[in-house]
Amino acid sequence: IRDHCRCPTCFHPETKQRLIETFLELPEDIHILDVREEGDLVQIVSDGHTSQYPRDWLAASALKGKTRAVGRQGTTDETDFKQTPVEVEYAKVMESDEGVGEWLLLIRKYGFAYVNGCPATPEATEKLLERISYIRNTHYGAFWDFTANMAAKDTAYTTLAIGSHTDTTYFSDPCGLQMFHLLSHTGGQGGKSLLSDGFATAKALRDEDPQAYKILSEVPVHSHASGNEGLSIQPFQTYPVLNHDTQSGELIQVRWNTTDRAAIDLPLEDMDLWYKAARKWARQLEHHHYWEQLRPERPLIFDNWRVLHGRSNFTGKRRLCGGYINHDDFISRFKMTNFGETKVLEQVSLG
Ligand SMILES: [Fe+2]
Ligand SMILES: [Zn+2]
């Protein structure tokens, strides 16, 4: 507890960073000599120092592991997203942090949300996305604005249908949020958007075949992005399809991308197990399809760690713009706008 002292000598009140060299400056055999309460503060006297802590902060540090993880993830009860509409007004998001909080709560709860009334321009869409956080730069650029012209060598830049997938499985830290804004679609049809709730799919798979769920949670799957000249992006570590919080056991991330999948790291005699489990997952995904046509002035945003996306093929000319936000930045902004700074910083006492 001495290591986490909140007095201004030990913890910078502005930067919220530790100022002491715990392992060099504090005696190893430290003891609590006295505890005093003063209003909202608790003072703890130890060898040569009086530490102080906000009472709620100290109380929060006593929470058990699962509660801690829930606080860190900023989890709210996830809800089956077929009970649409899940939407928020553009003006509200642009004008107030309260509007941003409402928007992010919808995304956290349902996995996705639409924004009504956003001008159908790249400029307005980019500003909208930046209400959450800075846009993540990748080899596709930061904010993108594209037509089916194969500007980047990826199926996304064609008119082909694309099955349910999550993006950027080839990064150790896949992109958190993804926005799509259809600016125009002329001289053709099709291109319906597909969303699938990966968490609901995982739950259904666990009910159907717990062993298959376990295999997809444990077997590492390698991925790569190699279609661009001079690049082959691969994660520093391989991850399974289903990833859980190590403390609470809660499912927090789905990684599923057939086009970018590389090898499965299993002995040959066990390989069949993964393929069988993946087959069951793919079939369950089909039961969780939700289709909707994108419209100008109504950008879609979804949680790429939970919701899989795809589209039907199309004819004519489509112009889409959008971008990514990191998952940690999304959760940070979600927690700050929904719980407030004091509550969020209490979680820091938990690790
Ligand atoms: Fe995608
Ligand atoms: Zn101190």
Side-chain angles (χ1 to χ4, degrees):
I1 200 148
R2 176 68 184 85
D3 183 35
H4 296 279
C5 178
R6 258 32 189 177
C7 89
T9 311
C10 300
F11 187 76
H12 197 291
E14 299 286 323
T15 70
K16 314 276 192 276
Q17 288 173 303
R18 182 180 289 107
L19 296 172
I20 45 170
E21 280 287 359
T22 301
F23 311 107
L24 300 176
E25 293 171 11
L26 302 186
E28 198 175 345
D29 58 343
I30 197 163
H31 297 286
I32 292 178
L33 301 176
D34 192 19
V35 179
R36 297 192 288 255
E37 301 196 47
E38 285 215 1
D40 288 340
L41 286 182
V42 176
Q43 294 186 330
I44 296 182
V45 183
S46 59
D47 321 38
H49 189 70
T50 300
S51 299
Q52 62 184 44
Y53 310 87
R55 184 191 308 275
D56 291 347
W57 189 92
L58 204 54
S61 72
L63 294 173
K64 294 277 184 286
K66 183 152 184 168
T67 321
R68 294 173 177 212
V70 166
R72 179 158 37 77
Q73 305 288 352
T75 315
T76 58
D77 290 338
E78 287 128 10
T79 308
D80 183 350
F81 66 48
K82 278 180 184 154
Q83 308 154 14
T84 46
V86 180
E87 55 192 23
V88 69
E89 291 308 312
Y90 168 76
K92 196 164 183 197
V93 171
M94 295 310 289
E95 279 159 19
S96 68
D97 275 3
E98 197 196 336
V100 174
E102 196 182 301
W103 185 27
L104 296 180
L105 179 61
L106 287 178
I107 303 169
R108 196 73 183 119
K109 200 165 171 176
Y110 296 95
F112 75 101
Y114 287 96
V115 181
N116 283 327
C118 175
T121 64
E123 296 76 21
T125 313
E126 187 170 1
K127 287 211 171 71
L128 172 65
L129 200 46
E130 283 171 348
R131 289 291 290 146
I132 302 174
S133 174
Y134 66 92
I135 294 167
R136 173 156 167 181
N137 210 338
T138 71
H139 54 300
Y140 296 111
F143 188 80
W144 36 260
D145 173 5
F146 74 89
T147 52
N149 60 2
M150 287 290 275
K153 291 201 179 59
D154 192 288
T155 321
Y157 291 76
T158 67
T159 60
L160 299 172
I162 304 179
S164 290
H165 66 279
T166 62
D167 271 20
T168 61
T169 50
Y170 44 79
F171 287 128
S172 307
D173 173 30
C175 296
L177 296 176
Q178 176 163 203
M179 179 176 276
F180 281 128
H181 191 182
L182 179 74
L183 300 176
S184 62
H185 187 180
T186 50
Q189 55 193 346
K192 260 196 162 185
S193 284
L194 165 65
L195 297 177
S196 307
D197 186 344
F199 288 0
T201 305
K203 199 161 170 277
L205 178 69
R206 203 179 48 201
D207 292 345
E208 182 201 337
D209 185 344
Q211 193 58 27
Y213 184 95
K214 192 166 180 278
I215 288 166
L216 295 184
S217 303
E218 288 174 359
V219 176
V221 181
H222 195 52
S223 292
H224 72 123
S226 311
N228 292 288
E229 189 71 33
L231 275 185
S232 178
I233 300 166
Q234 303 176 21
F236 77 84
Q237 185 187 312
T238 51
Y239 293 88
V241 174
L242 304 175
N243 294 276
H244 300 78
D245 187 292
T246 46
Q247 216 166 23
S248 69
E250 193 186 13
L251 178 63
I252 47 171
Q253 184 193 69
V254 174
R255 306 169 79 107
W256 182 256
N257 194 308
T258 289
T259 53
D260 295 333
R261 176 163 43 77
I264 310 301
D265 194 6
L266 274 182
L268 201 52
E269 57 273 24
D270 295 336
M271 196 71 85
D272 203 34
L273 292 174
W274 188 88
Y275 275 86
K276 282 205 169 96
R279 205 175 272 276
K280 287 195 172 165
W281 163 263
R283 279 200 218 104
Q284 275 296 350
L285 261 182
E286 305 242 286
H287 298 309
H288 290 83
H289 280 183
Y290 165 72
W291 293 91
E292 195 165 330
Q293 193 82 46
L294 293 179
R295 297 202 311 259
E297 301 184 8
R298 197 166 183 258
L300 163 70
I301 191 164
F302 55 87
D303 181 348
N304 185 56
W305 283 24
R306 171 180 172 191
V307 174
L308 296 89
H309 64 284
R311 65 151 193 248
S312 61
N313 62 343
F314 64 94
T315 54
K317 201 173 168 200
R318 282 196 345 157
R319 184 182 174 199
L320 266 132
C321 69
Y324 295 127
I325 303 271
N326 285 314
H327 205 267
D328 290 344
D329 295 318
F330 156 45
I331 298 300
S332 166
R333 186 88 161 116
F334 163 69
K335 291 200 295 185
M336 290 302 249
T337 51
N338 276 271
F339 309 141
E341 191 184 15
T342 308
K343 277 273 161 240
V344 171
L345 290 186
E346 273 175 16
Q347 297 298 329
V348 176
S349 67
L350 309 181

